[in-house]
Amino acid sequence: MPLDLQIRAMLERAAAAPAIPLSQLPPAVVRDGFLASILASLGEGYEPVPLAEVRDHTIDGSVPVRIYRPRAEATSVPVVAFAHAGGWVLGDLETHDEVCRHLSRSLPAVVVAVDYRLAPEHPYPAAVDDYWTAVCWLAEHAAELGGDADRLAVIGDSAGGNLAAAAALRAREAGGPHIAVQALAYPTVDATLEYGTRPGGSYTTCGEGYGLTLSTMRWFVDCYLPDPAARTAPDASPLLADDLSGLPPAIVATAEYDPLRSEGAHYAHRLAQAGVTVTHLDAGGLVHGFLYQTRVSRSADRARQAFVDAVREALGARLDDLTEVQA
């Protein structure tokens, strides 16, 4: 499909602004810019989706999270451990607050967003360790939050999708906790960057001019995985895991003009080959990051809703749950 016109306009505005290579800036400055760009995309007049409860919490005194509850009384709705995008370097609870509110209300589910440690200050495996801690905590405390531990989903976008996929692998190896579904939005699953840079791969066709670039991905990987030998570890590069059998059902969303499209699509293919139930959603005409571009592009909004609908179906969310929350 042609590039979505509203996304094209967004990219043109971004290209017209002066740009300094991210590697030449302090990480704190880049983080501020990432948050500012997401808040700007929400536009004037944005009002956060109302929920019964939104509160911050710290797990074991070390892993900050934000808990979103669609309604206050215990209802045994699904529970979600959410990991945000940002190349393991950027992002926090604020960058994805709108996304998490939408997930909590639309699934509906108790959503726990994880403020995992960021690189380069905290390189691999800090991020995946923090996220794994949160997944295990949520499985243990789901009932206290009004959730159903048997309907636990790990969900993440981009680098967060990497962490969600890694958690699914860890849970299989550890024999738990039970994960009902892994939902990966435009995930990075190959930290070597080799698959997408092959001839015809999406890094070669979309590595410049579509928002996320190959050079930015190289900087992200250098920050998070400074030791090249660690980049092939399964919880750094799930695509390179020898065995993908026995993993929870997967929803993998990719975008047509995303440099990560090739690795995400191939991961969905490898999961299916291993006998995992897979739903692959490919968003035509869109770019990396469509979960938080919904107020910029109607097509992005439809793609996000398709992703949420697939998660809801996989979790077996009850229609009466959804109707009551939206009433």
Side-chain angles (χ1 to χ4, degrees):
M1 291 179 60
L3 184 64
D4 177 79
L5 292 178
Q6 293 169 308
I7 294 296
R8 182 185 295 278
M10 178 191 75
L11 295 174
E12 289 174 349
R13 289 192 297 270
I20 300 174
L22 300 186
S23 60
Q24 297 180 18
L25 295 170
V29 172
V30 184
R31 290 169 190 150
D32 288 345
F34 183 54
L35 174 59
S37 68
I38 289 182
L39 294 179
S41 73
L42 295 176
E44 295 182 6
Y46 165 70
E47 293 290 340
V49 171
L51 296 169
E53 181 183 33
V54 178
R55 64 180 172 92
D56 292 346
H57 176 72
T58 302
I59 298 172
D60 298 335
S62 61
V63 181
V65 298
R66 181 168 293 170
I67 301 168
Y68 301 81
R69 297 179 67 190
R71 53 182 182 265
E73 69 274 16
T75 56
S76 294
V77 295
V79 291
V80 170
F82 182 83
H84 64 76
W88 311 283
V89 177
L90 316 176
D92 55 26
L93 298 177
E94 301 305 327
T95 58
H96 285 63
D97 182 73
E98 187 275 337
V99 172
C100 290
R101 287 174 180 270
H102 181 81
L103 286 171
S104 182
R105 184 172 176 86
S106 297
L107 285 174
V110 173
V111 174
V112 174
V114 185
D115 197 12
Y116 56 84
R117 286 171 292 172
L118 299 176
E121 297 91 337
H122 304 284
Y124 168 87
V128 67
D129 284 349
D130 285 355
Y131 183 68
W132 174 244
T133 294
V135 170
C136 295
W137 177 87
L138 180 55
E140 182 178 350
H141 295 273
E144 299 169 26
L145 300 173
D148 178 3
D150 289 333
R151 294 193 289 168
L152 167 62
V154 291
I155 302 181
D157 68 322
S158 193
N162 170 279
L163 301 181
L169 285 164
R170 284 193 176 189
R172 183 194 64 182
E173 295 306 306
H178 168 72
I179 294 175
V181 64
Q182 53 177 323
L184 320 175
Y186 38 87
T188 173
V189 287
D190 178 14
T192 70
L193 308 183
E194 291 181 1
Y195 191 81
T197 53
R198 297 177 181 183
S202 51
Y203 276 121
T204 68
T205 58
C206 302
E208 293 290 337
Y210 295 99
L212 180 64
T213 66
L214 175 56
S215 61
T216 297
M217 279 303 304
R218 284 176 172 152
W219 179 66
F220 285 153
V221 170
D222 287 343
C223 288
Y224 181 54
L225 291 146
D227 178 6
R231 297 175 187 179
T232 59
D235 59 2
S237 295
L239 180 63
L240 304 185
D242 292 332
D243 180 15
L244 297 179
S245 63
L247 290 174
I251 297 160
V252 182
T254 53
E256 184 175 5
Y257 294 95
D258 181 0
L260 302 185
R261 180 176 184 258
S262 291
E263 63 194 78
H266 190 54
Y267 193 59
H269 176 69
R270 280 206 60 210
L271 286 168
Q273 282 188 320
V276 177
T277 299
V278 178
T279 300
H280 179 203
L281 306 171
D282 191 35
L286 295 181
V287 297
H288 191 82
F290 62 75
L291 285 194
Y292 49 85
Q293 295 163 358
T294 59
R295 292 174 66 88
V296 173
S297 162
R298 289 184 293 274
S299 295
D301 186 50
R302 289 191 292 269
R304 180 168 79 172
Q305 196 53 52
F307 180 74
V308 172
D309 290 346
V311 174
R312 186 189 308 116
E313 180 177 356
L315 288 172
R318 298 186 300 271
L319 290 178
D320 57 335
D321 285 341
L322 181 63
T323 301
E324 185 175 338
V325 170
Q326 293 184 339

